[in-house]
Amino acid sequence: MERENNPSSNNANEVFIEHAFNAPVELVFRAFTDPAYLERWYAPNGCNISYKFIDVTVGGRFHSCISDPKFGDCWCVGVYKEIVKNKKISYDISIADELGNLTDPATAGMDPDWPMTTRVDILFREENGKTHVTLHQSVLEKIAKRTGAHPSWIQMLRRLENILVIK
């Protein structure tokens, strides 16, 4: 189950979600870094993700597309900023076009208040046989909820949980 918002954070109005998985940290971390796993869960319900490329290393880049049968394709590019095995993943993500060119969110048909680039920090902590994942995205939570990004994160984390249970 998720816990949202972090009133003790300096970024209290930004997206903050914590989710506990009944799986070892090594497996959960792998699910966030292995493209084969990511393609199985890293998209909201009813959507699929594909990668033109992904390099999960510090400085590595990705170019992805989440295909939504209702709203169409959403292309993104990103750069991994920090990766500490079983502890932390940090990356910047930006709206792009199919060729990987940065695109203004409004031009891409998104909410004009959505930032051009956001930082996503994911922390992993194992405790009592569970892995606690804390996700922070540098976008105001009210914008993320309005655009559907916030509920999409929750859907994706639940999809991952189901995959890890089946495994």
Side-chain angles (χ1 to χ4, degrees), residues 89-118:
I89 300 169
S90 182
Y91 60 89
D92 288 343
I93 186 167
S94 305
I95 304 301
D97 63 19
E98 187 174 357
L99 300 175
N101 301 306
L102 295 182
T103 303
D104 176 65
T107 303
M110 298 182 65
D111 190 300
D113 293 331
W114 188 265
M116 190 74 175
T117 300
T118 63

Side-chain angles (χ1 to χ4, degrees), residues 77-166:
V77 294
V79 179
Y80 288 95
K81 297 297 189 178
E82 184 177 5
I83 299 173
V84 180
K85 188 174 183 179
N86 300 332
K87 299 283 185 195
K88 182 178 184 180
I89 300 169
S90 182
Y91 60 89
D92 288 343
I93 186 167
S94 305
I95 304 301
D97 63 19
E98 187 174 357
L99 300 175
N101 301 306
L102 295 182
T103 303
D104 176 65
T107 303
M110 298 182 65
D111 190 300
D113 293 331
W114 188 265
M116 190 74 175
T117 300
T118 63
R119 170 69 53 93
V120 177
D121 295 310
I122 305 163
L123 302 176
F124 302 82
R125 176 177 47 87
E126 193 168 59
E127 185 177 300
N128 299 324
K130 293 186 175 194
T131 299
H132 298 264
V133 172
T134 303
L135 183 148
H136 169 246
Q137 187 172 21
S138 63
V139 61
L140 292 176
E141 186 176 80
K142 68 180 182 182
I143 294 173
K145 286 184 174 179
R146 184 173 70 216
T147 62
H150 189 277
S152 293
W153 275 120
I154 291 173
Q155 290 173 17
M156 292 188 297
L157 293 171
R158 289 179 180 166
R159 287 180 75 179
L160 175 57
E161 184 174 293
N162 290 333
I163 289 168
L164 296 177
V165 168
I166 293 169

